[in-house]
Amino acid sequence: MIAPPEGDERPRESTGELEPPRSQPSGSVARRRAPGRLSVVVLLAGLAVTAALTTASRLNYLHNEQRLTTLQTKLTASALDVAPVDVERRLSPAAVAAAEADDPVATFERYISPSMSPGGPFVVATLVKLHGTTPDVLVVKHTAPLISPSAAQTNALIEGAAKSSALETMRLVGHGQQRLAYAVSAHGPSGSFVASAAQALPTDRLVSVPPSSPFSGLNVAIYFGKRTDPASLIEATTSHLPISGTVATTEVPFGNNVLTLVISPRGPLAGTWSEAVAWGILGVGVLFSLAIATMTERLVRRRLFAEVLAGENRRLYVEQRNVAQTLQRSLLPRSLPKRPEVELAVRYLPGTAGIDVGGDWYDVIEIDERRIFFSFGDVAGRG
């Protein structure tokens, strides 16, 4: 630093003084209640990822459950396919034997007796001989009270069997009873005959399944025909109808009609753990998102607090530097005396680059016209 000429003062803007920064108080970070924007973004991103993973897992579980339910429905339908085959195996030989025999009634009774309740499925069996379009009832065997079907139902069943070689089926409801009626036709030397039989069904349409049954874990409803309304219900394993949840429906051929089978599992077919995976992902994802957001908030607050402390330190440093500069400049002479016999000049070089404050000092004092006092030195030590 070269001393300026006598009477000059150094401009304030060239002194290198720093203005103290405007920083918020150190307690402002701790007093902040609302979470930061970054923490909210992290939380929302974590929740979005959790929702996506949970939805994907849940959809995959539901897809597997639907696939397994459909497979279970097909297996159950294959079991129902056996029913009309068994009925026809019992009824057709009796009709054919009656048509071929000289005594149709006795032959029919002998063939149909093993299939009557309680050893067989039938509670009623009838042999009808056709005289043109007029039926003639030859014999009726029953082990339970009869249901009196309407003439239209009886004629439809007999006419259908007479015109077809396939098994005719019909559902009869009345007098607090429910039955499935079957009819087949046979032609022989004794004429044309129609053998019919009826199978009793639960009157309340509710059946119980043993725990050892493969269908014990299923809600099953069987309807006669293609409609699934209460009037068409044959039987069900649950009283809560219509069946809801994961549902599979299929139609099973049943003679000249169809049975509609509706099945829903009572529990997860893929296992309890498979169902719980989606909710586990949801719980873990929410907790993880909250933990990450909390950690982010702590880091953000610590960063803000560090910035505040850095600002405070800078402010204190600038204050101390300004004090030192002010003190040093107040001690150093602003001008040097002018003597014709002496040329005076001074240069101040700080010991550390970039820092204009140090412990060095100098002074030139004019004692009288012939004497000048020179003084310079350094303050030892640090701090």
Side-chain angles (χ1 to χ4, degrees):
M1 176 172 69
I2 301 177
E6 183 180 359
D8 290 346
E9 293 187 358
R10 286 179 287 182
R12 300 298 295 175
E13 61 272 13
S14 62
T15 62
E17 295 183 1
L18 300 178
E19 293 294 332
R22 298 179 181 178
S23 60
Q24 57 182 354
S26 59
S28 61
V29 178
R31 291 195 300 268
R32 192 182 69 175
R33 298 294 183 183
R37 181 179 301 177
L38 180 60
S39 304
V40 174
V41 171
V42 170
L43 178 61
L44 293 179
L47 293 178
V49 173
T50 300
L53 293 177
T54 302
T55 302
S57 178
R58 184 63 179 174
L59 291 178
N60 182 65
Y61 164 76
L62 294 177
H63 174 73
N64 290 335
E65 284 294 298
Q66 187 64 57
R67 181 176 57 84
L68 293 175
T69 302
T70 302
L71 179 60
Q72 187 66 55
T73 302
K74 291 181 179 180
L75 293 176
T76 307
S78 64
L80 288 179
D81 282 337
V82 180
V85 175
D86 181 67
V87 169
E88 195 167 6
R89 180 181 62 82
R90 295 172 181 272
L91 196 57
S92 291
V96 172
E100 297 289 341
D102 294 334
D103 187 355
V105 173
T107 303
F108 177 76
E109 289 181 342
R110 185 173 68 255
Y111 271 85
I112 205 67
S113 292
S115 299
M116 299 300 294
S117 178
F122 302 144
V123 295
V124 176
T126 305
L127 180 64
V128 176
K129 185 175 183 180
L130 299 176
H131 298 282
T133 58
T134 304
D136 180 17
V137 179
L138 300 182
V139 61
V140 176
K141 289 180 64 65
H142 62 88
T143 59
L146 295 175
I147 291 181
S148 301
S150 64
Q153 287 179 314
T154 302
N155 292 336
L157 183 63
I158 293 175
E159 289 178 4
K163 296 177 182 179
S164 173
S165 59
L167 178 69
E168 293 287 313
T169 59
M170 180 178 291
R171 178 169 174 259
L172 303 177
V173 180
H175 303 286
Q177 300 181 40
Q178 177 187 206
R179 292 177 182 172
L180 285 179
Y182 312 98
V184 294
S185 62
H187 306 279
S190 299
S192 298
F193 295 85
V194 173
S196 63
Q199 181 180 4
L201 297 174
T203 55
D204 58 357
R205 297 175 175 81
L206 186 64
V207 295
S208 59
V209 180
S212 58
S213 172
F215 308 113
S216 60
L218 302 174
N219 290 324
V220 182
I222 303 175
Y223 299 87
F224 190 84
K226 297 183 177 182
R227 300 177 61 182
T228 57
D229 54 3
S232 302
L233 179 65
I234 296 177
E235 60 185 23
T237 60
T238 177
S239 59
H240 301 286
L241 297 174
I243 294 177
S244 59
T246 304
V247 178
T249 304
T250 187
E251 294 180 357
V252 183
F254 195 70
N256 64 316
N257 287 294
V258 296
L259 297 179
T260 300
L261 179 64
V262 181
I263 287 182
S264 175
R266 294 177 180 176
L269 296 177
T272 305
W273 287 108
S274 177
E275 182 184 22
V277 167
W279 309 123
I281 292 176
L282 178 61
V284 172
V286 170
L287 293 178
F288 185 76
S289 299
L290 291 175
I292 293 298
T294 302
M295 184 180 300
T296 302
E297 179 66 15
R298 290 187 61 186
L299 293 176
V300 170
R301 293 196 179 206
R302 286 186 177 184
R303 177 182 175 181
L304 293 177
F305 188 70
E307 291 177 351
V308 170
L309 290 181
E312 291 288 335
N313 291 336
R314 179 175 175 81
R315 182 181 63 81
L316 294 176
Y317 168 76
V318 171
E319 289 181 355
Q320 294 176 359
R321 181 178 177 181
N322 288 341
V323 169
Q325 286 181 340
T326 302
L327 177 60
Q328 185 177 35
R329 287 169 183 166
S330 64
L331 294 177
L332 296 179
R334 292 185 176 274
S335 62
L336 298 177
K338 293 184 178 181
R339 299 294 293 269
E341 68 277 11
V342 179
E343 182 178 353
L344 300 175
V346 64
R347 184 182 182 187
Y348 178 80
L349 296 176
T352 303
I355 300 180
D356 295 337
V357 179
D360 304 292
W361 51 271
Y362 65 90
D363 201 354
V364 179
I365 302 173
E366 188 176 8
I367 298 176
D368 53 31
E369 295 181 357
R370 300 185 61 182
R371 291 183 298 173
I372 297 177
F373 178 77
F374 298 91
S375 175
F376 58 88
D378 185 17
V379 178
R382 292 290 185 269

